[in-house]
Amino acid sequence: MTRARVASGLVLFAYALFHFLNLGLGLFSPALMDAFQDGRQVVTRSLPGEILLYGALLTHAGLALYKLAQRRTWRMPVWEAVQTTLGLFIPLALIDHIVFTRFAHELHDVTDRYGYLIALIWGSPDAVGQSVLLLVVWIHGCIGLHFWLAGQRWWRDGLPYLSGVAALVPAFALAGFLTEGRRIEALTSDREMRGAYRASYNWPDRDAFANLLNVAAWIWWIVVACFALVVVIYLGRKFLIRRKSVRITYVDGPEVVSSKGLTLLEMSRTNGVPHTSLCGGRGRCTTCRVIVEVGAELLHPPSPEEARSLKAVNAPPNARLACQIRPTDPATVFRVFQPDGRRGRAHASQGQERRLAVLFLDMRGFTARTTGQLPYDVVFLLNRFFDAIVPAITGAGGTVDKYLGDGLLAVFETADERSSALAGLQAASGIRAALRAFNDGMAKEGAPPVAIGIGLHLGDVVLGEIGAAGNAPRTLIGDTVNTASRLEGKTKELGVQLLISEATLSGAGYDSAAFDLVTLELRGVSEPLAALAIDAGADLDKMLDVAALTPENA
Ligand code: FES
């Protein structure tokens, strides 16, 4: 439907552009204006041209009215309201124009050239009305074109120049209209000359005028009836929808009761709650996104498109696009972006506290191994190493929060504490297997094996965007991160490959008493920490398999 609206709009825009340029030629000479009109009409008055033009007119207007009737609310951004109002004005103002040109030509054989129409309206209020119509059509077309192409870089770059051209077109057309009008006025000041001038266009007589006025009135009523139908459908749908409502609480106010069935963005608009929505609610940006603090689990799951958009901005699990969700149960939401388009400074940016597993990994002996090597060779080695082991992290549901030279910090941001701990354990096991395969490859190349140390811990972290507004990558901080880092450092001291904190094991559902834990004093960590030490040759999977799960998790 959108494509049909855009395609029909483009046809009409092209028609209007040439129509206005044609009118502007009145600035130079009527002969030039007529010649250009003849050329245009070869296209617009051919059968395919007429089908295309009038088909586009009916399609564009019909789809616009259909969309208006289907809307849940008529509250909309200013630009959209302007666009819609102008669009509704056009058919009403266009009726006389079409009836006294095209219909007059078909029904009464009037020669509907510019000279005829200008003489017909010159000096009457219609001259002002048609000038306003010209401006309205042009502005409506330009707004439509702009919002169709606003996502294109070349359009945004060229906007200052295109705006200048856009302003010149109606100015040129109106200049042509004024010049030609004054010329015709001078030419027809004499009664006899006026008669001859009108006769040259087969001017409609009194009966023909009455007939054309009648036709215009009929079309006017048809258009008004279409508008009325749209209003009736809109109000009828609204009435049916309003029979059921839902309460939405915005974290920074207000609280509203809105109709079920609306998207959250429509609820905001209906209730006058400012809500950023740069793409107008078409699901083509993420600026309407909200953090659903209460009631997230009661919402329908995101569509693949919504999930993809949220993933692209690394949004937390309870983030949703307001234009894509239709709450049916009470919810508390936080608008991530302020209505002025700036980033809100709460939750998503200030942070969100979660209990998650965190994994710290470091390559052993990296400095000694790479001393004297060319920088490109070092980069090559690191990338091969990370290529080998990172899939074990992402495959387990984790993400690499950051790379730290020859090491990394990974987090397992899953639905709950237990699944996060299990994902961390799965990743640790996967990394060890991946490292063995990687080292087999190194051995074939005659290179020494790579050794690593891993610290895995479960605890509270704050996930947030840390940095200057607009340039703040999402990261995690908290004692848990420091503890995981200290555990990783301790592996070197203990001569083991992996240290798993007791908190991780019990968080995953294991009875930690089933393991032979070591108690560690970690620098910067106030309490001694119990952890399971695993050396490179140990079979972690087997150890976890035989360990007892706590009864509630078994
Ligand atoms: S307003 Fe752009 S995706 Fe919702």
Side-chain angles (χ1 to χ4, degrees), residues 64-65 67-68 71 74 76-91 140 143 227:
L65 291 179
K67 192 180 163 216
L68 211 52
R71 286 185 77 119
W74 281 356
M76 54 186 87
V78 175
W79 68 265
E80 201 179 348
V82 170
Q83 176 75 336
T84 305
T85 309
L86 296 181
L88 292 175
F89 170 79
I90 290 170
H140 178 79
I143 292 177
F227 287 1

Side-chain angles (χ1 to χ4, degrees), residues 265 277-288 321 323:
L265 181 62
S277 57
L278 286 190
C279 76
R282 296 188 178 94
R284 291 170 61 182
C285 67
T286 59
T287 56
C288 65
L321 295 182
C323 66

Side-chain angles (χ1 to χ4, degrees), residues 116-160:
Y116 151 76
L117 184 64
I118 294 172
L120 185 67
I121 63 175
W122 188 254
S124 75
D126 286 340
V128 178
Q130 292 298 299
S131 301
V132 171
L133 174 61
L134 182 150
L135 291 172
V136 167
V137 167
W138 189 245
I139 293 169
H140 178 79
C142 288
I143 292 177
L145 201 61
H146 174 69
F147 281 99
W148 178 52
L149 293 170
Q152 307 287 331
R153 192 189 176 88
W154 63 267
W155 176 265
R156 291 199 303 273
D157 290 347
L159 211 50

Side-chain angles (χ1 to χ4, degrees), residues 290-327:
V290 292
I291 306 297
V292 185
E293 299 202 335
V294 177
E297 68 287 356
L298 299 174
L299 286 167
H300 55 86
S303 65
E305 293 75 30
E306 185 190 352
R308 211 167 22 247
S309 300
L310 290 169
K311 190 167 177 225
V313 292
N314 220 3
N318 56 342
R320 299 297 299 268
L321 295 182
C323 66
Q324 303 298 312
I325 54 173
R326 297 182 188 276

Side-chain angles (χ1 to χ4, degrees), residues 412-481:
F412 300 88
E413 203 179 339
T414 58
D416 54 35
E417 174 184 339
R418 182 165 185 247
S419 59
S420 181
L422 285 170
L425 290 169
Q426 187 190 337
S429 171
I431 289 171
R432 286 155 52 87
L435 182 70
R436 280 193 291 276
F438 178 76
N439 279 337
D440 286 348
M442 296 292 279
K444 284 189 192 128
E445 295 168 18
V450 167
I452 59 170
I454 302 173
L456 179 62
H457 185 45
L458 176 88
D460 295 330
V461 293
V462 173
L463 290 155
E465 294 175 352
I466 298 166
N471 189 20
R474 187 162 173 275
T475 188
L476 66 158
I477 56 169
D479 284 348
T480 302
V481 180

Side-chain angles (χ1 to χ4, degrees), residues 47 81 92 100 137 140 146 192 197-198 206 218 234 242 306-307 316 323 327 358 375 387 389 434 443 462 476 535:
L47 185 62
L92 288 173
F100 281 89
V137 167
H140 178 79
H146 174 69
E192 206 169 304
Y197 184 85
R198 288 183 172 184
R206 188 180 294 268
W218 270 106
Y234 170 75
R242 285 217 171 198
E306 185 190 352
C323 66
V358 172
D387 280 346
I389 63 161
V462 173
L476 66 158
D535 62 34

